[in-house]
Amino acid sequence: MFRNQYDTDVTTWSPAGRLFQVEYAMEAVKQGSAAIGLRSKTHIVLGCVNKANSELSSHQKKIFKVDDHIGVAIAGLTADGRVLSRYMRNECINYSFTYESPLPVGRLVVQLADKAQVCTQRSWKRPYGVGLLVAGLDESGAHLYYNCPSGNYFEYQAFAIGSRSQAAKTYLERKFENFTDASRDDLVKDALMAIRETLQGETLKSSVCTIAVVGVGEPFHILDQGTVQQMIDAFEIVGEQEGPDAAAGQEASAEPEQGAGAGEGVAPMDI
Amino acid sequence: MNFTVSKQPENCLLGPESDSQRTLYPYVTGTSVVALKYKDGILMAADMGGSYGSTLRYKNVERMKPIGKHSLLGASGEISDFQEILRYLDDLILYDNMWDDGNSLGPKEVHNYLTRVMYNRRNKFNPLWNSLVLGGVKKGEKYLGTVSMIGVNFEDNHVATGFGNHLARPILRQDWHENLSFEDGVKLLEKCMRVLLYRDRSAINKLQIAKITEEGVTISQPYSLKTYWEFSAFANPAQGAVGTW
């Protein structure tokens, strides 16, 4: 990105009214490996791509259970993500202890956003370099939120973050109208297909991705590799056609890249 | 010579706070609160008396108050502590409303919040000298619970505080059943309150009955129960027990 004289401090505005450090933090999110989320009226599915440093190492954990009814998928500086997950777990458990009731996800998201905002307005801090897809259940149903390093948060029907997420977003944009009434299994299939988009030709197998589900009557949990592989096999057998719920025909396996993160090289801390 | 005035004996474990900062005894107190679940929600009854020791000093004390949209709180014990609790709950409901997000604290959440407050105060040896009854309805679910000044809390189909535990609960155990109609519920509560009126010396014959349903809270105007003092056993009380008075 562009180096200029207004980007040293998070507390320095540029003449155009931008905080470059915050924008650079959002860049860090784009460099992380992809995470996606989608929701129906009753369930939310989170998925992420597992990237390992080398063949010898294991991949980093990018999906965290925050409470029985809330889970989060991160992209960017996983260390920052871990710290924020711990904060979220604390808030949930404190609320549960005081009120014997689950913390509404909408309130947790606002608290998280306010926490991120603080780091954009202190000269001795830096913004968190991680984007969070927060999935949770509320009195008003299933919710999916995206929390930005800038301190903003948005609610989504479906979203993707991280590198090559644009491919997944394009897929989700085509299908999202069906999501509200989709069944839980169809939702998981759509998540897997969205992840496949980000892999750009690499084979989709359960070792390369992680899927987690939360829904009404189903506490947040990460699906085990066997189950995920079974689901992949189920729709791979149908060939390049899409799963039973969708109307559209062929699956375009080589989606053209559209303005995703700059280059393939990933900085060592940003998986 | 030692001219310093020490407020506590030196072996006191409570540290430098003076005793005037913590509750030692109650002063103006309310007596029993009785409540039960009925078909549409919760019915609660409490008289309007505030006793100052053995004097019936205040006769217009409202000991039941609505909390937020979904709950009703009744209290016995120190009236000033009840007012303090109402202030805490006012703040709680205010912050809850300020989220403005479609979520709201229901009776279960308020009950547990109060349990935490009461228990934490008890641990600091500075209790809020109350027994509380918290009832409400949210999304069709009826809830009725109680918390004591030492933090003991539980839920049940019918609860009572103070003398109500000894005089009213046995009646309720016998006569309560699921899906009482409103009229039957009121009759049952009045039966309990009448016994309390006869037998509890701090009870007065001026009570309110409160109802909470999905629609909201209604607290009745104060009224009194009909009493009957011409029972023959009262006429000649010493007859069966020589030497009594």
Side-chain angles (χ1 to χ4, degrees):
Chain A
M1 272 199 85
F2 347 96
R3 277 218 44 97
N4 49 55
Q5 52 181 183
Y6 306 110
D7 67 356
T8 311
D9 247 304
V10 73
T11 49
T12 306
W13 287 100
S14 81
R18 297 158 73 165
L19 290 170
F20 281 109
Q21 280 295 307
V22 177
E23 295 185 23
Y24 296 165
M26 313 224 279
E27 256 328 282
V29 176
K30 294 188 204 156
Q31 301 293 341
S33 62
I36 58 121
L38 24 74
R39 71 168 163 103
S40 71
K41 217 165 17 197
T42 53
H43 287 78
I44 312 114
V45 179
L46 291 175
C48 70
V49 169
N50 300 337
K51 187 165 283 170
N53 250 332
S54 72
E55 275 188 29
L56 298 169
S57 74
S58 63
H59 63 85
Q60 287 191 311
K61 192 161 165 194
K62 282 163 52 84
I63 297 191
F64 299 90
K65 175 171 174 169
V66 168
D67 202 343
D68 283 335
H69 66 299
I70 300 182
V72 64
I74 64 171
L77 270 61
T78 38
D80 285 1
R82 225 175 34 245
V83 160
L84 288 177
S85 299
R86 188 163 56 233
Y87 168 75
M88 292 164 82
R89 285 171 176 167
N90 250 329
E91 291 301 300
C92 280
I93 219 170
N94 285 338
Y95 188 93
S96 268
F97 174 69
T98 309
Y99 300 103
E100 281 238 6
S101 212
L103 174 59
V105 61
R107 298 190 182 186
L108 177 62
V109 158
V110 174
Q111 284 175 258
L112 199 53
D114 289 347
K115 192 172 162 70
Q117 191 279 341
V118 168
C119 298
T120 67
Q121 210 174 7
R122 306 280 184 270
S123 58
W124 62 92
K125 287 183 181 248
R126 64 158 178 83
Y128 288 104
V130 63
L132 303 113
L133 282 171
V134 184
L137 299 169
D138 215 270
E139 252 172 49
S140 38
H143 296 274
L144 174 69
Y145 293 93
Y146 171 51
N147 276 75
C148 238
S150 59
N152 282 325
Y153 66 96
F154 309 91
E155 185 164 4
Y156 285 99
Q157 185 77 44
F159 200 49
I161 56 177
S163 71
R164 295 196 282 250
S165 58
Q166 190 50 54
K169 266 189 262 191
T170 314
Y171 172 83
L172 293 169
E173 270 167 35
R174 272 199 345 250
K175 304 296 227 56
F176 79 94
E177 262 140 11
N178 298 329
F179 289 164
T180 313
D181 298 311
S183 72
R184 172 209 184 271
D185 288 339
D186 284 340
L187 217 57
V188 176
K189 280 202 192 80
D190 276 315
L192 284 164
M193 300 225 226
I195 291 180
R196 186 172 46 190
E197 296 301 307
T198 69
L199 292 174
Q200 294 290 301
E202 221 183 294
T203 345
L204 174 66
K205 28 182 213 274
S206 60
S207 54
V208 165
C209 64
T210 307
I211 301 279
V213 186
V214 62
V216 175
E218 189 177 350
F220 185 89
H221 64 285
I222 297 178
L223 301 182
D224 73 286
Q225 279 214 331
T227 320
V228 176
Q229 190 57 50
Q230 270 176 7
M231 302 198 91
I232 296 174
D233 294 335
F235 68 74
E236 291 276 319
I237 282 172
V238 191
E240 294 289 90
Q241 282 171 16
E242 287 170 334
D245 67 307
Q250 282 198 5
E251 179 69 75
S253 57
E255 290 265 332
E257 180 111 8
Q258 290 172 47
E264 309 283 24
V266 172
M269 57 182 175
D270 296 345
I271 291 189
Chain B
M1 282 233 274
N2 187 4
F3 287 108
T4 58
V5 177
S6 78
K7 296 205 174 124
Q8 292 154 13
E10 271 157 19
N11 56 355
C12 177
L13 293 169
L14 288 162
E17 341 107 74
S18 77
D19 266 8
S20 62
Q21 308 283 23
R22 38 183 212 103
T23 302
L24 296 173
Y25 342 91
Y27 286 94
V28 179
T29 55
T31 185
S32 325
V33 178
V34 191
L36 46 78
K37 282 190 193 168
Y38 79 108
K39 182 161 60 87
D40 304 325
I42 313 289
L43 280 167
M44 198 184 293
D47 69 25
M48 299 194 76
S51 307
Y52 186 61
S54 55
T55 312
L56 282 174
R57 173 76 179 81
Y58 301 102
K59 299 197 199 151
N60 200 21
V61 182
E62 278 205 28
R63 296 197 290 115
M64 296 181 294
K65 293 283 185 188
I67 309 290
K69 287 195 292 266
H70 306 283
S71 317
L72 177 62
L73 175 67
S76 65
E78 174 61 58
I79 299 298
S80 62
D81 282 351
F82 176 50
Q83 291 169 348
E84 182 79 345
I85 288 169
L86 290 175
R87 237 185 20 83
Y88 283 149
L89 289 176
D90 204 31
D91 280 354
L92 184 75
I93 300 293
L94 182 69
Y95 285 121
D96 189 43
N97 289 340
M98 271 165 58
W99 281 103
D100 198 17
D101 66 349
N103 292 300
S104 55
L105 293 171
K108 176 162 93 133
E109 287 81 22
V110 177
H111 183 222
N112 280 289
Y113 171 79
L114 286 171
T115 305
R116 289 295 117 233
V117 171
M118 301 300 272
Y119 183 64
N120 277 312
R121 290 288 297 253
R122 163 263 197 199
N123 283 339
K124 295 196 277 202
F125 277 89
N126 186 14
L128 288 158
W129 208 286
N130 295 107
S131 286
L132 304 169
V133 172
L134 199 297
V137 195
K138 192 172 174 207
K139 295 232 182 78
E141 295 266 334
K142 303 189 280 263
Y143 186 91
L144 181 59
T146 178
V147 199
S148 76
M149 67 187 259
I150 56 172
V152 175
N153 81 313
F154 54 90
E155 294 167 56
D156 208 338
N157 292 319
H158 47 80
V159 295
T161 67
F163 263 89
N165 273 311
H166 301 106
L167 299 173
R169 297 290 307 279
I171 300 175
L172 292 164
R173 281 184 203 120
Q174 203 168 49
D175 290 350
W176 184 90
H177 58 84
E178 289 270 7
N179 290 319
L180 280 162
S181 70
F182 174 72
E183 291 75 25
D184 284 344
V186 172
K187 262 210 280 267
L188 188 48
L189 275 181
E190 284 184 346
K191 187 175 179 188
C192 296
M193 295 304 281
R194 188 170 288 110
V195 172
L196 286 166
L197 180 58
Y198 284 136
R199 296 293 175 175
D200 180 5
R201 75 131 184 228
S202 18
I204 62 169
N205 198 2
K206 183 180 177 194
L207 72 146
Q208 291 177 303
I209 296 211
K211 143 169 100 94
I212 180 166
T213 62
E214 194 77 52
E215 280 82 53
V217 174
T218 337
I219 305 184
S220 72
Q221 286 299 335
Y223 69 103
S224 33
L225 297 168
K226 285 217 237 320
T227 55
Y228 182 67
W229 299 96
E230 305 313 313
F231 288 110
S232 52
F234 290 158
N236 202 1
Q239 187 172 33
V242 178
T244 192
W245 63 97

